[in-house]
Amino acid sequence: MDSRADMKLKGKINIRFILLTLIAIGITMVLSVMVFYELFKKEIMKELVTYTHILSSKESLSELDTIGDRLTAGDGLRITVISSDGQAVYDNMADIAGMENHVNRPEIIQAFEKGYGEDVRQSETLKKSTFYYAVLLDSGEVLRVARESNSIWSIFASAVPVMLIIMVFLVGCAVFVTHYLTKSIVKPIEYMAKDIYHIDNIPAYKEIRPFIDTILKQHEDIMKNAQMRQEFTANVSHELKTPLTSISGYSELIESGMAEETDVQHFAAEIHRNSNRLLTLINDIIRLSELDVTESVPSMERVDLYSIVGMTADMLMINAKKHDVTLSVEGKSSIIMANKMMMEELVYNLTDNAIRYNKKNGSVQVLVYETEKNVVLKVKDTGIGIPDEHKELVFQRFYRVDKSRSKSTGGTGLGLAIVKHIVAKHNASIAIESKVGIGTEITVAFKK
Ligand code: ADP
């Protein structure tokens, strides 16, 4: 990661984190002031209710008068008595003559309706609110007790300095924490970009581990693939070189006139044989690279595996006779979803191998049968067998247990590699069982 992009990322994380902190603090403050104010309101109302009930038990206005004066001085309580027409008949703080009609005040309306009422109203200044509680007396008048107190705004205002101090402190904390947090998030990534192979030396957090593993795995695959291709290219060149050298040599002999009349035919036959070998090799190589390149699924159709086996056996019958091998087919019609051409190639390659790596008077049996879940192709021979240590390797390109035998029977070392590819493309499985000197059995199982 270049350092500018890195700074940008860190800055982004920082700003977002701080913003989040500010929003969180703001919301917390507003909510806590609101909750506090609600409690505060409740407490004041409770107090007003108590006073009102004490006062409502008093007999007369004159009695109220003495208490009222005392309360005004002590608790800042305003006591008003309102008659049923809304006119004030007593007030301990104001002159009742100059007071307006109270009939529209919410707490008075409620008191006349249901026996009690309450309200909170803004005073002239924003700082104060007045809390009212009123009860209907037996006399038909309403007794109202009021008290001025801090409004929600003044509580907010008084909370602001504390809020600011806390905010500054928390933002400081946030900056500090994000700095270390982003550093610990970004650091392993930076290290990784520089040198992914020594990531173990870096204190990476566990969440990043799968990411590292994936990259390492992909990297390894890429390297392996590259190496395989390189090996393949080297092998191909080497394989092509041998027949070409022969062709070149024989033709040169003929060209220079060094070959006797009787040799020419023999040389021509060698040239022919080697060119055929070249053709077979090139065909197999092309086929393999085709299978390699096309990652897509081949076009599939309903294919009768048994009829393909029958056709292939017919084709190879002469070959089998030439090797003194009996070839037999067993089974019944079995349909699979497959690419027909690839199936022909697969059956051909396996059967051809079973004939070529056989013994005189040996036999090859090709079976098609169904199990509960699979359609199975089995190619069984009584041939030379494959030693255990080579069993896994014969599917590799150009791998041959006995190179001269493979060559003398027209093998390229690519047949089983092609088979393996085809099996993979059909989601099938392949198994090989073999005993040296006794025979080989290759089983391909297709899903039904
Ligand atoms: P080739 O063209 O050499 O036959 P394959 O890829 O078909 O190449 O097979 C690879 C090698 O596996 C062969 O060279 C041979 O040594 C061995 N092999 C394949 N099939 C058989 C078999 N049925 N019996 C014994 N060996 C076999």
Side-chain angles (χ1 to χ4, degrees):
M1 201 182 301
D2 82 57
S3 63
R4 264 183 57 209
D6 174 30
M7 289 290 289
K8 238 169 145 180
L9 173 69
K10 280 183 189 162
K12 240 179 184 167
I13 299 179
N14 269 328
I15 288 172
R16 289 199 184 157
F17 205 76
I18 292 166
L19 217 69
L20 206 74
T21 315
L22 284 177
I23 292 171
I25 298 167
I27 291 176
T28 314
M29 290 289 182
V30 169
L31 285 179
S32 50
V33 167
M34 275 162 71
V35 169
F36 172 73
Y37 185 68
E38 271 314 302
L39 287 174
F40 175 75
K41 215 160 100 177
K42 252 193 200 138
E43 279 309 306
I44 291 185
M45 275 302 172
K46 225 157 87 189
E47 201 184 279
L48 289 183
V49 170
T50 316
Y51 278 124
T52 313
H53 283 296
I54 296 168
L55 292 171
S56 64
S57 63
K58 300 299 166 211
E59 295 289 308
S60 64
L61 291 180
S62 59
E63 231 179 317
L64 272 182
D65 221 357
T66 44
I67 302 168
D69 280 344
R70 240 180 26 237
L71 287 175
T72 322
D75 299 311
L77 284 181
R78 178 173 174 190
I79 301 158
T80 316
V81 178
I82 294 120
S83 68
S84 53
D85 59 5
Q87 213 52 59
V89 292
Y90 168 78
D91 194 292
N92 68 339
M93 281 193 184
D95 179 11
I96 53 169
M99 282 170 71
E100 52 185 292
N101 195 296
H102 276 57
V103 82
N104 287 327
R105 305 283 161 85
E107 73 280 9
I108 306 295
I109 296 172
Q110 285 170 33
F112 279 125
E113 266 172 16
K114 53 177 190 178
Y116 67 92
E118 59 180 59
D119 194 26
V120 181
R121 286 197 286 280
Q122 196 68 57
S123 303
E124 282 106 60
T125 63
L126 260 185
K127 275 188 178 168
K128 297 277 174 189
S129 287
T130 311
F131 294 72
Y132 298 95
Y133 186 79
V135 284
L136 185 63
L137 300 173
D138 294 339
S139 60
E141 293 161 322
V142 165
L143 169 67
R144 184 183 76 177
V145 180
R147 175 186 192 155
E148 203 169 53
S149 203
N150 287 336
S151 70
I152 189 162
W153 304 115
S154 72
I155 293 175
F156 251 130
S158 61
V160 164
V162 183
M163 230 157 90
L164 283 179
I165 292 171
I166 295 177
M167 261 192 194
V168 169
F169 175 71
L170 287 183
V171 167
C173 286
V175 170
F176 187 74
V177 169
T178 41
H179 178 74
Y180 281 96
L181 214 65
T182 41
K183 217 169 155 182
S184 70
I185 293 173
V186 172
K187 207 87 221 177
I189 301 175
E190 282 176 350
Y191 274 123
M192 226 162 74
K194 274 192 208 127
D195 179 9
I196 196 159
Y197 288 105
H198 297 101
I199 193 83
D200 285 332
N201 305 339
I202 303 154
Y205 40 95
K206 71 174 193 303
E207 287 81 358
I208 206 170
R209 207 63 239 190
F211 178 62
I212 295 171
D213 289 345
T214 308
I215 291 182
L216 281 177
K217 177 91 195 18
Q218 280 178 353
H219 205 268
E220 207 176 287
D221 287 350
I222 291 170
M223 299 297 280
K224 253 193 212 151
N225 227 319
Q227 201 190 343
M228 250 174 64
R229 272 170 208 279
Q230 206 183 1
E231 267 171 26
F232 184 59
T233 315
N235 279 332
V236 166
S237 317
H238 179 78
E239 295 287 337
L240 295 180
K241 215 173 145 185
T242 324
L244 266 178
T245 312
S246 299
I247 292 171
S248 172
Y250 287 124
S251 52
E252 197 185 0
L253 283 175
I254 297 171
E255 187 191 28
S256 64
M258 273 167 73
E260 300 280 323
E261 196 67 19
T262 47
D263 288 337
V264 171
Q265 199 175 0
H266 165 66
F267 290 173
E270 278 303 308
I271 291 171
H272 188 200
R273 194 177 63 83
N274 278 295
S275 358
N276 272 344
R277 173 155 183 77
L278 264 185
L279 276 177
T280 326
L281 260 170
I282 288 169
N283 266 336
D284 275 1
I285 291 165
I286 290 174
R287 190 68 197 118
L288 205 56
S289 58
E290 267 173 9
L291 286 168
D292 242 358
V293 171
T294 40
E295 297 230 318
S296 59
V297 199
S299 63
M300 302 285 194
E301 54 186 317
R302 284 165 61 84
V303 171
D304 183 357
L305 188 60
Y306 184 66
S307 90
I308 287 178
V309 166
M311 267 162 42
T312 313
D314 290 344
M315 251 195 298
L316 284 168
M317 208 50 99
I318 300 170
N319 224 356
K321 279 217 175 82
K322 230 166 50 189
H323 284 86
D324 289 320
V325 168
T326 51
L327 172 60
S328 64
V329 168
E330 226 175 89
K332 64 172 180 58
S333 169
S334 295
I335 307 293
I336 53 170
M337 283 305 287
N339 181 285
K340 193 161 180 236
M341 198 182 101
M342 289 186 184
M343 277 310 104
E344 286 167 1
E345 258 179 304
L346 176 121
V347 176
Y348 186 96
N349 285 351
L350 291 179
T351 316
D352 186 42
N353 279 352
I355 295 168
R356 284 168 41 228
Y357 300 105
N358 221 309
K359 292 184 278 198
K360 213 171 157 62
N361 297 325
S363 69
V364 174
Q365 238 186 327
V366 188
L367 312 165
V368 176
Y369 59 90
E370 293 188 26
T371 63
E372 200 183 321
K373 288 181 184 151
N374 301 104
V375 172
V376 182
L377 166 77
K378 202 184 271 281
V379 183
K380 223 166 155 178
D381 66 57
T382 56
I384 58 171
I386 303 168
D388 276 345
E389 65 270 27
H390 296 278
K391 245 196 248 170
E392 296 304 315
L393 304 170
V394 290
F395 291 99
Q396 285 180 7
R397 295 156 184 205
F398 295 117
Y399 193 89
R400 285 164 283 201
V401 179
D402 177 352
K403 199 162 181 172
S404 63
R405 178 160 187 147
S406 162
K407 267 190 176 171
S408 67
T409 53
T412 58
L414 295 174
L416 287 183
I418 293 173
V419 165
K420 191 178 146 194
H421 260 293
I422 295 175
V423 165
K425 290 220 185 269
H426 285 79
N427 264 334
S429 64
I430 186 160
I432 182 163
E433 251 177 72
S434 188
K435 280 212 171 68
V436 176
I438 294 181
T440 305
E441 188 180 305
I442 294 184
T443 313
V444 183
F446 298 91
K447 289 195 187 87
K448 257 185 182 169

